[in-house]
Amino acid sequence: MKIGITGCAGRMGQMLVREVLVTDGCTLAGGSEGPGHTAIGQDVAQTAGLEECGIAITDNSDALFAASDAVIDFTIAQVTEGHARFTKKYGTNFILGTTGHDESQLASIEAASAHVPIVKAMNFSVGVNLLFALTKQLAGTLDEDFDIEIVEMHHRHKVDAPSGTALGLAQAAADGRGVDLNHVVDRGRDGITGERRRGHIGLAALRGGDVVGEHDVVFAGPSERIKISHMAASREIFARGAVRAALWSADVNPGLYSMLDVLGFSDGDT
Ligand code: NAD
């Protein structure tokens, strides 16, 4: 499979270039950058910190889509509509990691997915997606005798809490229990909070050091406790998951897929 990388000089773009070059079953079709970017014309592999590969970074995303079997896009939401058009025009599979889309951008992705396979995920980590699936499954299996608490830790520079992934885990737990998360979520506790309410889902955030991202989901029941954890050591996990998704997309029909589909959790709404 020939894989193109849009935004190939970005933080994720460089990791994606490296991942494509070391993964069996795919070759690098090329990389694009936004108009006026200083990396245009430079060697795509060299920009990613590797030996030259002889492919220059282009500002012509149209040509990149034409030359690729799949394009992996971790760029900015504003360019998604244009990229969705190219994906449809050339039948290029599209792996979309960019976040922050508005309604019209999401609609353009949905429309293009009638013509080509598109995998879209807020988090491409294989491990985090398994954690979502397992959280939903455990929450559905264990009754309200088991209190669900989600604890996350991130580096000292993170400005929001709890993390989007922690909120996603809380949603997965609520889905597993068949309840509305808004009715049961306890976001942080402080002061005289009263006893814990049965069936509620707690969220707590720790901040410090250079922690890339840690998430624990605790099911605390009478006389026993189950804890499932994910620890991220590097953003490489997103690149690895995205390349896996691109390879997976070779054998599927047009449609809009999630990372859970890639991993074989076919109900897709975990
Ligand atoms: P970044 O700013 O380092 O990289 C984005 C790159 O896109 C830049 O190099 C920019 O020049 C390039 N770009 C802008 N316009 C372009 C255009 N028209 N054509 C081609 N390239 C263009 O950002 P980043 O940290 O790599 O993150 C990129 C996106 O990926 C963000 O939306 C981020 O939230 C998302 N992200 C998603 C996941 C996930 O797992 N889904 C993980 C990490 C980051």
Side-chain angles (χ1 to χ4, degrees):
M1 176 179 252
K2 288 179 285 173
I3 299 182
I5 309 292
T6 48
C8 61
R11 279 172 295 184
M12 282 305 304
Q14 292 184 39
M15 281 192 181
L16 286 158
V17 167
R18 292 197 288 269
E19 194 61 29
V20 168
L21 289 171
V22 299
T23 303
D24 288 341
C26 56
T27 56
L28 187 65
S32 73
E33 259 301 338
H37 196 285
T38 52
I40 289 163
Q42 292 175 8
D43 188 272
V44 64
Q46 203 169 37
T47 299
L50 305 174
E51 295 282 305
E52 284 187 33
C53 69
I55 305 173
I57 297 175
T58 177
D59 60 358
N60 186 347
S61 289
D62 187 318
L64 180 69
F65 276 80
S68 305
D69 299 316
V71 163
I72 305 180
D73 183 301
F74 283 62
T75 57
I76 51 171
Q78 292 89 317
V79 302
T80 296
E81 276 169 314
H83 290 179
R85 260 198 312 281
F86 296 145
T87 217
K88 188 170 140 188
K89 180 172 168 190
Y90 297 111
T92 313
N93 297 3
F94 195 41
I95 312 303
L96 184 59
T98 305
T99 57
H101 296 104
D102 64 23
E103 289 302 319
S104 125
Q105 291 157 349
L106 289 173
S108 71
I109 300 161
E110 179 100 43
S113 72
H115 306 272
V116 282
I118 296 183
V119 183
K120 178 177 177 303
M122 299 282 282
N123 189 318
F124 267 99
S125 149
V126 168
V128 163
N129 280 280
L130 279 174
L131 198 68
F132 282 131
L134 292 171
T135 297
K136 181 177 176 185
Q137 195 180 5
L138 282 173
T141 305
L142 301 168
D143 65 19
E144 291 186 352
D145 279 348
F146 284 80
D147 300 321
I148 303 176
E149 293 283 313
I150 295 160
V151 186
E152 56 101 339
M153 180 161 189
H154 284 85
H155 52 87
R156 62 166 70 101
H157 303 295
K158 188 166 174 62
V159 295
D160 56 316
S163 69
T165 299
L167 286 169
L169 288 166
Q171 186 61 57
D175 290 346
R177 286 244 165 112
V179 296
D180 183 342
L181 179 62
N182 294 320
H183 294 156
V184 297
V185 72
D186 288 333
R187 292 177 63 144
R189 299 189 182 90
D190 188 26
I192 312 296
T193 58
E195 283 191 11
R196 192 186 196 288
R197 278 173 289 179
R198 186 177 166 82
H200 273 226
I201 296 170
L203 283 160
L206 312 183
R207 293 287 173 266
D210 58 357
V211 176
V212 174
E214 296 184 3
H215 293 87
D216 292 340
V217 185
V218 181
F219 297 83
S223 309
E224 59 183 340
R225 187 153 46 97
I226 297 171
K227 182 158 96 174
I228 49 176
S229 304
H230 180 267
M231 275 161 265
S234 141
R235 285 158 60 99
E236 263 174 51
I237 58 178
F238 308 125
R240 205 166 302 136
V243 172
R244 178 169 172 168
L247 292 170
W248 175 87
S249 75
D251 299 320
V252 300
N253 292 323
L256 186 55
Y257 299 97
S258 72
M259 198 55 195
L260 289 165
D261 294 314
V262 175
L263 297 175
F265 292 92
S266 55
D267 71 356
D269 64 353
T270 306

